[in-house]
Amino acid sequence: MSRFKISCPARIIFRDDEMRMMAALDGGFQLEQLLYCTLEAGHTSLHHTIAQGVAGTETTPPWSLHARWGDNPHGPERELVRLDDCPVTSLPGSVQSESCWLQKDHEGRHAYEFGPLAERRRRESLLRG
């Protein structure tokens, strides 16, 4: 979930009915009414962000509620939908491993490859020489 512009400048503002629906879920995220697209700038697919993480139960695993929308955030392509998360992680098997958290089969780089965290890591590696 991204409250801050990571790369794509598109944003979505959730309606009150959408906020109530997400609040009714056994969610793990603090709800935000305005979220930015979490995909890499220049993508050609629908805009996308995770809207809410939903806790699992004894019989069901946790899952993510995603928001998707076109260039018109109020247009017919706007939806809240359950999607599988991208299974790719950086540094697989490492204690420092980080998951992608975008939707499965997303366009562009993985979430850990761009944005503020990736930029900080790039600067740190330059300082180490």
Side-chain angles (χ1 to χ4, degrees):
M1 180 165 72
S2 177
R3 290 183 12 198
F4 306 102
K5 183 179 151 236
I6 292 174
S7 195
C8 176
R11 65 184 188 171
I12 187 169
I13 299 173
F14 295 111
R15 299 182 309 256
D16 290 342
D17 64 315
E18 292 170 326
M19 293 294 288
R20 282 190 300 274
M21 184 273 295
M22 290 188 291
L25 295 170
D26 185 13
F29 296 156
Q30 176 181 337
L31 292 177
E32 298 289 339
Q33 195 149 22
L34 182 149
L35 294 175
Y36 284 94
C37 175
T38 53
L39 295 176
E40 186 174 8
H43 66 88
T44 58
S45 57
L46 292 174
H47 299 291
H48 174 269
T49 192
I50 295 178
Q52 180 60 289
V54 181
T57 66
E58 289 182 16
T59 58
T60 61
W63 56 278
S64 299
L65 182 69
H66 297 250
R68 293 191 293 201
W69 68 99
D71 288 333
N72 174 359
H74 304 290
E77 296 167 315
R78 177 188 179 119
E79 64 179 340
L80 288 169
V81 63
R82 181 179 177 167
L83 295 174
D84 291 331
D85 295 327
C86 178
V88 177
T89 60
S90 67
L91 305 171
S94 165
V95 173
Q96 296 295 316
S97 181
E98 181 180 350
S99 63
C100 174
W101 58 258
L102 296 173
Q103 79 275 20
K104 186 176 179 180
D105 300 324
H106 62 85
E107 179 181 349
R109 294 181 288 172
H110 297 290
Y112 54 78
E113 295 179 303
F114 66 97
L117 182 59
E119 181 58 26
R120 187 182 83 215
R121 286 181 178 164
R122 187 187 67 78
R123 284 194 308 265
E124 288 171 355
S125 71
L126 290 174
L127 290 174
R128 285 191 298 267

